[in-house]
């Protein structure tokens, strides 16, 4: 299965804890949907951290979904950005988990 | 012993709702910086049928009259097929004051307090004192980006005086499709004002970029246009579509 560019920044344990909460026959769909939410969160944090003059370029790169190119670009970004990305993705999973438990 | 199914409590539907909400929030925040891509490929429509649809739109725009409901629904369906995405004259039970009418060429819409360096209503701060009718613009405003903005005199809506607070939120930045059927140009626009300087003579107002891009004041069109809602607004970006 192809790894998406943002997956390496999300905690597997947290991710699995949400997916395990769904019925077995719904886990596949839930997994796809959760990944879509995480991608939005990842794109959001990267766009927020990007300087205005590069916004359009970064938006285009992120929406291309080209994992190799995005990973390469991310590897050249400051550590603080990838740290923010990790923190934000984990927080998003926890928020979704809380919303699903209502 | 199999684990009890009661422990599997999460709802897929709820997850879907969360996703839809996040997607809408994302679109609202970053619409302006998303790369511009065509909405969808239009379906091939035979030339005589295209001519017939445009003739109907031209007649509706020129007559400025209210079309019978059934006829309007059929026309909407035909235009949706032609474009490849859905358009509608009403959305969630809300309508514009008109779907067909004449568009006034307006001045640049002032959407940010510091949009124009020459504006200095508040002394020394270069901030314009008067807010636009639907509030200031979204946070990202690229000065070089074309702004396809539309005004409609929503004050004329029957129950505006009772529901104006709700309506302001609902109509603000609503994506609409403006069609100039005479020159066969469509522009995805955003509703940016609910007042018009001359609502008795004009049904819509357009920003300079919109007037230029739609060729609404070409000798053939003479300002006559058709305006529809785009239900799938999340996937549509403001821009010009050649029909």
């Amino acid at each position: 299965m192809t790894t998406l560019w943002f997956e390496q920044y999300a905690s597997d344990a947290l991710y699995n804890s949400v997916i395990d909460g769904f019925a077995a026959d719904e886990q596949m769909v839930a997994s796809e949907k959760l990944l879509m939410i995480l991608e939005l969160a990842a794109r959001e944090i990267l766009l927020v951290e990007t300087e205005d003059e590069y916004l359009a370029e970064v938006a285009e790169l992120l929406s291309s979904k080209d994992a190799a190119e995005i990973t390469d670009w991310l590897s050249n970004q400051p550590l603080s950005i990838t740290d923010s990305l990790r923190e934000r993705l984990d927080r998003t999973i926890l928020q979704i988990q809380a919303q699903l438990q209502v | 012993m199999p684990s009890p199914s009661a422990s599997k409590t999460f709802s897929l539907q709820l997850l879907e709702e969360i996703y839809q909400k996040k997607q809408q929030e994302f679109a609202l925040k970053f619409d302006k910086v998303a790369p511009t891509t065509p909405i969808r490929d239009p379906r091939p429509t035979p030339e005589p049928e295209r001519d017939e649809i445009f003739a109907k739109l031209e007649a509706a725009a020129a007559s400025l009259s209210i079309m019978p409901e059934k006829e309007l629904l059929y026309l909407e369906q035909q235009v949706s097929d032609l474009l490849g995405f859905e358009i509608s004259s009403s959305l969630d039970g809300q309508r514009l004051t008109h779907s067909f009418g004449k568009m006034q060429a307006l001045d640049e819409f002032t959407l940010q307090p510091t949009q124009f360096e020459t504006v200095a209503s508040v002394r020394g701060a270069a901030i314009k004192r008067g807010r636009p009718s639907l509030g200031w613009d979204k946070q990202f405003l690229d000065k070089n980006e074309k702004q396809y903005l539309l005004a409609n005199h929503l004050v004329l809506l029957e129950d505006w005086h009772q529901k104006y607070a709700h309506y302001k939120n609902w109509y603000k930045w609503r994506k609409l499709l403006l069609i100039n059927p005479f020159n066969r140009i469509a522009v995805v626009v955003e509703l940016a004002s609910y007042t018009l300087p001359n609502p008795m003579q004009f049904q819509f107002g357009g920003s300079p970029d919109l007037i230029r891009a739609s060729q609404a004041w070409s000798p053939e069109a003479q300002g006559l246009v058709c305006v529809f809602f785009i239900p799938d607004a999340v996937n549509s970006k403001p821009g010009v579509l050649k029909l």
Side-chain angles (χ1 to χ4, degrees), chain A residues 18 20-23 29-30 33 36-37 40 43-44 47-48 55-56 59-60 63 95-96 99-101, chain B residues 7-16 18-26 29-30 33-35 140:
Chain A
V18 175
D20 287 344
F22 288 91
V29 184
K33 202 55 72 182
M36 286 158 92
I37 297 174
L40 281 178
R43 282 168 65 183
E44 186 177 343
L47 288 172
V48 166
L55 267 178
E60 194 163 354
S63 54
Q95 275 173 355
I96 292 167
Q99 284 172 291
L100 288 170
Q101 277 167 345
Chain B
S7 64
K8 309 289 186 190
T9 53
F10 292 168
S11 153
L12 208 52
Q13 198 188 340
L14 189 54
L15 187 65
E16 174 66 33
I18 294 170
Y19 170 64
Q20 295 292 346
K21 200 175 160 204
K22 296 260 182 206
Q23 202 178 28
Q24 278 173 10
E25 285 170 1
F26 184 88
K29 268 188 189 172
F30 299 107
V33 295
F140 294 102

CSV table of all heavy atoms in Angstrom, one decimal, chain A residues 18 20-23 29-30 33 36-37 40 43-44 47-48 55-56 59-60 63 95-96 99-101, chain B residues 7-16 18-26 29-30 33-35 140:
chain,number,residue,atom,x,y,z
A,18,VAL,N,-8.2,5.1,17.0
A,18,VAL,CA,-9.4,5.6,16.4
A,18,VAL,C,-10.0,4.5,15.5
A,18,VAL,O,-11.2,4.2,15.6
A,18,VAL,CB,-9.2,6.9,15.6
A,18,VAL,CG1,-10.5,7.3,14.9
A,18,VAL,CG2,-8.7,8.0,16.6
A,20,ASP,N,-9.7,1.4,15.5
A,20,ASP,CA,-10.2,0.2,16.3
A,20,ASP,C,-11.6,0.5,16.9
A,20,ASP,O,-12.3,-0.5,17.3
A,20,ASP,CB,-9.2,-0.1,17.4
A,20,ASP,CG,-7.9,-0.8,16.9
A,20,ASP,OD1,-8.0,-1.2,15.7
A,20,ASP,OD2,-6.9,-0.9,17.6
A,21,GLY,N,-11.9,1.7,17.0
A,21,GLY,CA,-13.3,2.0,17.6
A,21,GLY,C,-14.4,1.8,16.6
A,21,GLY,O,-15.6,1.8,17.0
A,22,PHE,N,-14.1,1.5,15.3
A,22,PHE,CA,-15.1,1.3,14.3
A,22,PHE,C,-15.4,-0.2,14.2
A,22,PHE,O,-14.5,-1.0,14.5
A,22,PHE,CB,-14.7,1.8,13.0
A,22,PHE,CG,-14.8,3.3,12.9
A,22,PHE,CD1,-13.7,4.1,13.3
A,22,PHE,CD2,-16.0,4.0,12.6
A,22,PHE,CE1,-13.7,5.5,13.2
A,22,PHE,CE2,-16.0,5.4,12.5
A,22,PHE,CZ,-14.9,6.1,12.8
A,23,ALA,N,-16.6,-0.6,13.8
A,23,ALA,CA,-16.9,-2.0,13.5
A,23,ALA,C,-15.9,-2.5,12.4
A,23,ALA,O,-15.5,-1.7,11.5
A,23,ALA,CB,-18.3,-2.1,13.0
A,29,VAL,N,-13.2,2.0,5.4
A,29,VAL,CA,-13.8,3.3,5.0
A,29,VAL,C,-13.4,4.4,6.0
A,29,VAL,O,-13.0,5.5,5.6
A,29,VAL,CB,-15.4,3.2,4.9
A,29,VAL,CG1,-15.9,4.5,4.4
A,29,VAL,CG2,-15.8,2.1,4.0
A,30,ALA,N,-13.4,4.0,7.3
A,30,ALA,CA,-13.1,4.9,8.3
A,30,ALA,C,-11.6,5.4,8.2
A,30,ALA,O,-11.3,6.5,8.3
A,30,ALA,CB,-13.3,4.3,9.7
A,33,LYS,N,-11.3,7.9,5.4
A,33,LYS,CA,-11.8,9.1,5.7
A,33,LYS,C,-10.9,9.9,6.7
A,33,LYS,O,-10.7,11.1,6.6
A,33,LYS,CB,-13.2,8.9,6.4
A,33,LYS,CG,-14.2,10.0,6.4
A,33,LYS,CD,-14.4,10.7,5.0
A,33,LYS,CE,-15.3,9.8,4.1
A,33,LYS,NZ,-15.5,10.4,2.8
A,36,MET,N,-8.1,11.4,5.0
A,36,MET,CA,-8.4,12.6,4.3
A,36,MET,C,-8.5,13.8,5.2
A,36,MET,O,-8.1,14.9,4.9
A,36,MET,CB,-9.8,12.4,3.6
A,36,MET,CG,-9.8,11.5,2.4
A,36,MET,SD,-11.4,10.8,2.0
A,36,MET,CE,-12.0,12.0,0.9
A,37,ILE,N,-9.0,13.5,6.5
A,37,ILE,CA,-9.0,14.6,7.5
A,37,ILE,C,-7.6,15.0,7.8
A,37,ILE,O,-7.3,16.2,7.9
A,37,ILE,CB,-9.8,14.2,8.7
A,37,ILE,CG1,-11.3,13.9,8.3
A,37,ILE,CG2,-9.7,15.2,9.8
A,37,ILE,CD1,-12.1,13.3,9.5
A,40,LEU,N,-5.9,17.2,5.2
A,40,LEU,CA,-6.4,18.6,5.3
A,40,LEU,C,-5.7,19.3,6.5
A,40,LEU,O,-5.2,20.4,6.3
A,40,LEU,CB,-7.9,18.6,5.6
A,40,LEU,CG,-8.8,18.4,4.4
A,40,LEU,CD1,-10.3,18.5,4.8
A,40,LEU,CD2,-8.6,19.5,3.3
A,43,ARG,N,-2.0,19.9,5.5
A,43,ARG,CA,-1.9,21.0,4.5
A,43,ARG,C,-2.2,22.4,5.2
A,43,ARG,O,-1.5,23.3,4.9
A,43,ARG,CB,-3.0,20.8,3.4
A,43,ARG,CG,-2.5,19.8,2.4
A,43,ARG,CD,-3.7,19.4,1.4
A,43,ARG,NE,-4.1,20.5,0.6
A,43,ARG,CZ,-5.1,20.4,-0.3
A,43,ARG,NH1,-5.8,19.3,-0.4
A,43,ARG,NH2,-5.5,21.5,-1.0
A,44,GLU,N,-3.1,22.4,6.1
A,44,GLU,CA,-3.4,23.6,6.8
A,44,GLU,C,-2.2,24.2,7.6
A,44,GLU,O,-1.9,25.3,7.4
A,44,GLU,CB,-4.6,23.4,7.7
A,44,GLU,CG,-5.1,24.7,8.3
A,44,GLU,CD,-6.3,24.5,9.2
A,44,GLU,OE1,-7.0,23.5,9.1
A,44,GLU,OE2,-6.6,25.4,10.0
A,47,LEU,N,0.5,25.5,5.3
A,47,LEU,CA,0.1,26.7,4.6
A,47,LEU,C,0.2,27.9,5.6
A,47,LEU,O,0.6,29.0,5.3
A,47,LEU,CB,-1.3,26.7,4.0
A,47,LEU,CG,-1.4,25.8,2.7
A,47,LEU,CD1,-2.8,25.6,2.3
A,47,LEU,CD2,-0.6,26.4,1.6
A,48,VAL,N,-0.2,27.6,6.9
A,48,VAL,CA,-0.2,28.6,7.9
A,48,VAL,C,1.3,29.0,8.2
A,48,VAL,O,1.6,30.2,8.4
A,48,VAL,CB,-0.9,28.1,9.2
A,48,VAL,CG1,-0.5,29.0,10.4
A,48,VAL,CG2,-2.4,28.1,9.0
A,55,LEU,N,2.9,31.2,-0.8
A,55,LEU,CA,1.7,30.4,-0.5
A,55,LEU,C,1.2,29.7,-1.7
A,55,LEU,O,0.8,28.5,-1.6
A,55,LEU,CB,0.6,31.4,0.1
A,55,LEU,CG,0.5,31.5,1.6
A,55,LEU,CD1,-0.5,32.5,1.9
A,55,LEU,CD2,0.2,30.2,2.2
A,56,ALA,N,1.0,30.4,-2.8
A,56,ALA,CA,0.4,29.7,-4.0
A,56,ALA,C,1.2,28.5,-4.4
A,56,ALA,O,0.7,27.5,-4.8
A,56,ALA,CB,0.3,30.8,-5.1
A,59,ALA,N,0.8,25.7,-1.9
A,59,ALA,CA,-0.6,25.2,-2.1
A,59,ALA,C,-0.6,24.2,-3.3
A,59,ALA,O,-1.3,23.2,-3.2
A,59,ALA,CB,-1.6,26.3,-2.3
A,60,GLU,N,0.0,24.6,-4.4
A,60,GLU,CA,0.0,23.8,-5.6
A,60,GLU,C,0.8,22.5,-5.3
A,60,GLU,O,0.3,21.4,-5.7
A,60,GLU,CB,0.7,24.6,-6.7
A,60,GLU,CG,0.4,23.9,-8.1
A,60,GLU,CD,0.7,24.9,-9.2
A,60,GLU,OE1,0.9,26.1,-9.0
A,60,GLU,OE2,0.6,24.4,-10.3
A,63,SER,N,-1.3,20.2,-3.1
A,63,SER,CA,-2.5,19.6,-3.7
A,63,SER,C,-2.1,18.7,-4.8
A,63,SER,O,-3.0,17.9,-5.3
A,63,SER,CB,-3.5,20.7,-4.2
A,63,SER,OG,-2.8,21.6,-5.0
A,95,GLN,N,-8.6,15.1,18.8
A,95,GLN,CA,-9.9,15.8,18.7
A,95,GLN,C,-11.0,15.0,18.0
A,95,GLN,O,-12.1,14.9,18.5
A,95,GLN,CB,-9.7,17.1,17.8
A,95,GLN,CG,-9.1,18.2,18.6
A,95,GLN,CD,-8.8,19.4,17.7
A,95,GLN,OE1,-8.8,19.3,16.5
A,95,GLN,NE2,-8.4,20.5,18.3
A,96,ILE,N,-10.6,14.3,17.0
A,96,ILE,CA,-11.6,13.4,16.3
A,96,ILE,C,-12.1,12.3,17.2
A,96,ILE,O,-13.3,12.0,17.3
A,96,ILE,CB,-11.0,12.8,15.0
A,96,ILE,CG1,-10.7,14.0,14.0
A,96,ILE,CG2,-11.9,11.8,14.3
A,96,ILE,CD1,-9.8,13.6,12.8
A,99,GLN,N,-14.5,13.8,19.5
A,99,GLN,CA,-15.8,14.1,18.8
A,99,GLN,C,-16.6,12.8,18.5
A,99,GLN,O,-17.8,12.8,18.6
A,99,GLN,CB,-15.6,14.8,17.5
A,99,GLN,CG,-15.2,16.3,17.7
A,99,GLN,CD,-14.8,16.9,16.5
A,99,GLN,OE1,-13.7,16.7,15.9
A,99,GLN,NE2,-15.6,17.8,16.0
A,100,LEU,N,-15.9,11.7,18.2
A,100,LEU,CA,-16.6,10.4,17.9
A,100,LEU,C,-17.1,9.8,19.2
A,100,LEU,O,-18.1,9.0,19.1
A,100,LEU,CB,-15.6,9.5,17.2
A,100,LEU,CG,-15.2,9.8,15.8
A,100,LEU,CD1,-14.1,9.0,15.3
A,100,LEU,CD2,-16.4,9.7,14.8
A,101,GLN,N,-16.5,10.1,20.3
A,101,GLN,CA,-17.0,9.4,21.6
A,101,GLN,C,-18.2,10.1,22.1
A,101,GLN,O,-18.8,9.6,23.1
A,101,GLN,CB,-15.8,9.5,22.6
A,101,GLN,CG,-14.9,8.3,22.4
A,101,GLN,CD,-13.6,8.5,23.2
A,101,GLN,OE1,-13.3,9.6,23.7
A,101,GLN,NE2,-12.8,7.5,23.3
B,7,SER,N,-18.7,-2.6,22.1
B,7,SER,CA,-17.5,-1.8,22.2
B,7,SER,C,-17.1,-1.0,21.0
B,7,SER,O,-16.3,-0.1,21.0
B,7,SER,CB,-16.3,-2.8,22.6
B,7,SER,OG,-16.0,-3.6,21.5
B,8,LYS,N,-17.7,-1.4,19.8
B,8,LYS,CA,-17.4,-0.7,18.6
B,8,LYS,C,-18.5,0.4,18.5
B,8,LYS,O,-19.6,0.2,18.0
B,8,LYS,CB,-17.5,-1.6,17.4
B,8,LYS,CG,-16.7,-2.9,17.5
B,8,LYS,CD,-15.2,-2.7,17.4
B,8,LYS,CE,-14.4,-3.9,17.3
B,8,LYS,NZ,-13.0,-3.7,17.5
B,9,THR,N,-18.1,1.5,19.0
B,9,THR,CA,-19.2,2.6,19.1
B,9,THR,C,-19.1,3.7,18.1
B,9,THR,O,-20.0,4.5,18.1
B,9,THR,CB,-19.1,3.1,20.6
B,9,THR,OG1,-17.8,3.6,20.8
B,9,THR,CG2,-19.5,2.1,21.6
B,10,PHE,N,-17.9,3.8,17.4
B,10,PHE,CA,-17.8,5.0,16.6
B,10,PHE,C,-18.7,5.0,15.4
B,10,PHE,O,-18.9,3.9,14.8
B,10,PHE,CB,-16.3,5.2,16.2
B,10,PHE,CG,-15.4,5.5,17.3
B,10,PHE,CD1,-14.0,5.5,17.1
B,10,PHE,CD2,-15.9,5.9,18.5
B,10,PHE,CE1,-13.2,5.8,18.1
B,10,PHE,CE2,-15.0,6.2,19.6
B,10,PHE,CZ,-13.7,6.2,19.4
B,11,SER,N,-19.2,6.1,15.0
B,11,SER,CA,-20.2,6.2,13.9
B,11,SER,C,-19.4,6.7,12.7
B,11,SER,O,-18.8,7.8,12.7
B,11,SER,CB,-21.3,7.1,14.3
B,11,SER,OG,-21.9,7.7,13.1
B,12,LEU,N,-19.6,6.0,11.6
B,12,LEU,CA,-19.0,6.4,10.3
B,12,LEU,C,-19.6,7.7,9.8
B,12,LEU,O,-18.9,8.5,9.2
B,12,LEU,CB,-19.2,5.2,9.3
B,12,LEU,CG,-18.1,5.1,8.2
B,12,LEU,CD1,-16.7,5.0,8.7
B,12,LEU,CD2,-18.4,3.9,7.3
B,13,GLN,N,-20.9,7.8,10.0
B,13,GLN,CA,-21.6,9.0,9.6
B,13,GLN,C,-21.0,10.2,10.3
B,13,GLN,O,-20.9,11.3,9.7
B,13,GLN,CB,-23.1,8.8,9.8
B,13,GLN,CG,-23.9,9.8,9.0
B,13,GLN,CD,-25.3,9.8,9.4
B,13,GLN,OE1,-25.8,8.9,10.0
B,13,GLN,NE2,-26.0,10.9,9.1
B,14,LEU,N,-20.8,10.1,11.6
B,14,LEU,CA,-20.2,11.2,12.3
B,14,LEU,C,-18.8,11.6,11.8
B,14,LEU,O,-18.5,12.8,11.7
B,14,LEU,CB,-20.1,10.8,13.8
B,14,LEU,CG,-19.8,11.9,14.8
B,14,LEU,CD1,-20.7,13.1,14.7
B,14,LEU,CD2,-19.9,11.4,16.2
B,15,LEU,N,-18.0,10.6,11.5
B,15,LEU,CA,-16.7,10.8,10.9
B,15,LEU,C,-16.8,11.6,9.6
B,15,LEU,O,-16.1,12.5,9.3
B,15,LEU,CB,-15.9,9.5,10.7
B,15,LEU,CG,-14.5,9.6,10.3
B,15,LEU,CD1,-13.6,10.3,11.4
B,15,LEU,CD2,-13.9,8.3,9.9
B,16,GLU,N,-17.8,11.2,8.8
B,16,GLU,CA,-18.1,11.8,7.5
B,16,GLU,C,-18.4,13.3,7.7
B,16,GLU,O,-18.0,14.2,7.0
B,16,GLU,CB,-19.2,11.1,6.8
B,16,GLU,CG,-19.7,11.7,5.5
B,16,GLU,CD,-18.6,11.7,4.4
B,16,GLU,OE1,-17.8,10.8,4.3
B,16,GLU,OE2,-18.6,12.7,3.6
B,18,ILE,N,-17.6,15.1,10.3
B,18,ILE,CA,-16.4,15.8,10.7
B,18,ILE,C,-15.5,16.2,9.5
B,18,ILE,O,-15.0,17.3,9.4
B,18,ILE,CB,-15.6,15.0,11.7
B,18,ILE,CG1,-16.4,14.8,13.0
B,18,ILE,CG2,-14.2,15.6,12.0
B,18,ILE,CD1,-15.8,13.7,14.0
B,19,TYR,N,-15.4,15.3,8.6
B,19,TYR,CA,-14.6,15.5,7.4
B,19,TYR,C,-15.2,16.7,6.6
B,19,TYR,O,-14.5,17.6,6.1
B,19,TYR,CB,-14.5,14.2,6.6
B,19,TYR,CG,-13.9,14.5,5.2
B,19,TYR,CD1,-12.6,14.9,5.1
B,19,TYR,CD2,-14.7,14.3,4.0
B,19,TYR,CE1,-12.0,15.1,3.8
B,19,TYR,CE2,-14.1,14.5,2.8
B,19,TYR,CZ,-12.8,15.0,2.7
B,19,TYR,OH,-12.3,15.2,1.5
B,20,GLN,N,-16.6,16.6,6.4
B,20,GLN,CA,-17.2,17.7,5.6
B,20,GLN,C,-17.0,19.0,6.2
B,20,GLN,O,-16.7,20.0,5.5
B,20,GLN,CB,-18.7,17.4,5.5
B,20,GLN,CG,-19.1,16.2,4.8
B,20,GLN,CD,-18.8,16.2,3.3
B,20,GLN,OE1,-18.6,17.3,2.8
B,20,GLN,NE2,-18.8,15.1,2.6
B,21,LYS,N,-17.1,19.1,7.6
B,21,LYS,CA,-16.9,20.3,8.3
B,21,LYS,C,-15.4,20.9,8.1
B,21,LYS,O,-15.2,22.0,7.8
B,21,LYS,CB,-17.2,20.1,9.8
B,21,LYS,CG,-17.5,21.4,10.5
B,21,LYS,CD,-17.9,21.1,11.9
B,21,LYS,CE,-17.7,22.4,12.7
B,21,LYS,NZ,-17.6,22.2,14.1
B,22,LYS,N,-14.5,19.9,8.3
B,22,LYS,CA,-13.1,20.3,8.1
B,22,LYS,C,-12.8,20.8,6.7
B,22,LYS,O,-12.0,21.7,6.5
B,22,LYS,CB,-12.1,19.1,8.4
B,22,LYS,CG,-12.2,18.6,9.8
B,22,LYS,CD,-11.1,19.1,10.7
B,22,LYS,CE,-11.2,18.5,12.1
B,22,LYS,NZ,-10.6,19.4,13.1
B,23,GLN,N,-13.4,20.1,5.7
B,23,GLN,CA,-13.2,20.5,4.3
B,23,GLN,C,-13.7,21.9,4.1
B,23,GLN,O,-13.1,22.7,3.4
B,23,GLN,CB,-13.9,19.5,3.5
B,23,GLN,CG,-13.3,19.4,2.1
B,23,GLN,CD,-14.1,18.4,1.2
B,23,GLN,OE1,-15.2,18.1,1.4
B,23,GLN,NE2,-13.4,17.9,0.2
B,24,GLN,N,-14.9,22.2,4.6
B,24,GLN,CA,-15.5,23.5,4.5
B,24,GLN,C,-14.6,24.6,5.1
B,24,GLN,O,-14.3,25.6,4.5
B,24,GLN,CB,-16.9,23.6,5.1
B,24,GLN,CG,-17.9,23.0,4.1
B,24,GLN,CD,-19.3,22.9,4.7
B,24,GLN,OE1,-19.5,23.4,5.8
B,24,GLN,NE2,-20.2,22.2,4.1
B,25,GLU,N,-14.1,24.3,6.3
B,25,GLU,CA,-13.3,25.2,7.0
B,25,GLU,C,-12.0,25.5,6.2
B,25,GLU,O,-11.5,26.6,6.1
B,25,GLU,CB,-12.9,24.7,8.4
B,25,GLU,CG,-14.0,24.8,9.4
B,25,GLU,CD,-13.7,24.0,10.7
B,25,GLU,OE1,-12.6,23.4,10.8
B,25,GLU,OE2,-14.6,24.0,11.6
B,26,PHE,N,-11.4,24.4,5.7
B,26,PHE,CA,-10.2,24.6,4.9
B,26,PHE,C,-10.4,25.4,3.7
B,26,PHE,O,-9.7,26.3,3.4
B,26,PHE,CB,-9.7,23.2,4.5
B,26,PHE,CG,-8.4,23.2,3.8
B,26,PHE,CD1,-7.2,23.1,4.5
B,26,PHE,CD2,-8.3,23.2,2.4
B,26,PHE,CE1,-6.0,23.2,3.9
B,26,PHE,CE2,-7.1,23.3,1.8
B,26,PHE,CZ,-5.9,23.2,2.5
B,29,LYS,N,-10.7,29.1,4.5
B,29,LYS,CA,-9.5,29.7,4.9
B,29,LYS,C,-8.5,29.9,3.7
B,29,LYS,O,-7.8,30.8,3.6
B,29,LYS,CB,-8.7,28.8,5.9
B,29,LYS,CG,-9.1,29.1,7.3
B,29,LYS,CD,-8.1,28.3,8.2
B,29,LYS,CE,-8.5,28.4,9.7
B,29,LYS,NZ,-7.7,27.5,10.5
B,30,PHE,N,-8.5,28.8,2.8
B,30,PHE,CA,-7.4,28.8,1.8
B,30,PHE,C,-7.9,28.8,0.4
B,30,PHE,O,-7.1,28.6,-0.5
B,30,PHE,CB,-6.5,27.6,2.0
B,30,PHE,CG,-5.9,27.6,3.4
B,30,PHE,CD1,-6.3,26.7,4.3
B,30,PHE,CD2,-4.8,28.4,3.7
B,30,PHE,CE1,-5.7,26.7,5.6
B,30,PHE,CE2,-4.2,28.4,4.9
B,30,PHE,CZ,-4.7,27.6,5.9
B,33,VAL,N,-5.7,30.9,-2.0
B,33,VAL,CA,-4.4,30.4,-2.3
B,33,VAL,C,-4.3,29.1,-3.0
B,33,VAL,O,-3.3,28.7,-3.4
B,33,VAL,CB,-3.4,30.4,-1.1
B,33,VAL,CG1,-3.3,31.8,-0.5
B,33,VAL,CG2,-3.9,29.4,-0.1
B,34,ALA,N,-5.5,28.5,-3.2
B,34,ALA,CA,-5.5,27.2,-3.8
B,34,ALA,C,-5.2,27.4,-5.3
B,34,ALA,O,-5.5,28.4,-5.9
B,34,ALA,CB,-6.8,26.5,-3.7
B,35,PRO,N,-4.5,26.5,-6.0
B,35,PRO,CA,-4.2,26.6,-7.4
B,35,PRO,C,-5.5,26.6,-8.2
B,35,PRO,O,-6.4,25.9,-7.9
B,35,PRO,CB,-3.3,25.4,-7.7
B,35,PRO,CG,-3.6,24.4,-6.7
B,35,PRO,CD,-4.0,25.2,-5.4
B,140,PHE,N,-6.6,36.2,3.4
B,140,PHE,CA,-5.6,36.3,2.3
B,140,PHE,C,-6.2,37.1,1.1
B,140,PHE,O,-7.2,36.8,0.5
B,140,PHE,CB,-5.3,34.9,1.8
B,140,PHE,CG,-4.7,34.0,2.8
B,140,PHE,CD1,-5.4,33.1,3.5
B,140,PHE,CD2,-3.3,34.2,3.1
B,140,PHE,CE1,-4.7,32.3,4.5
B,140,PHE,CE2,-2.7,33.5,4.1
B,140,PHE,CZ,-3.4,32.5,4.8
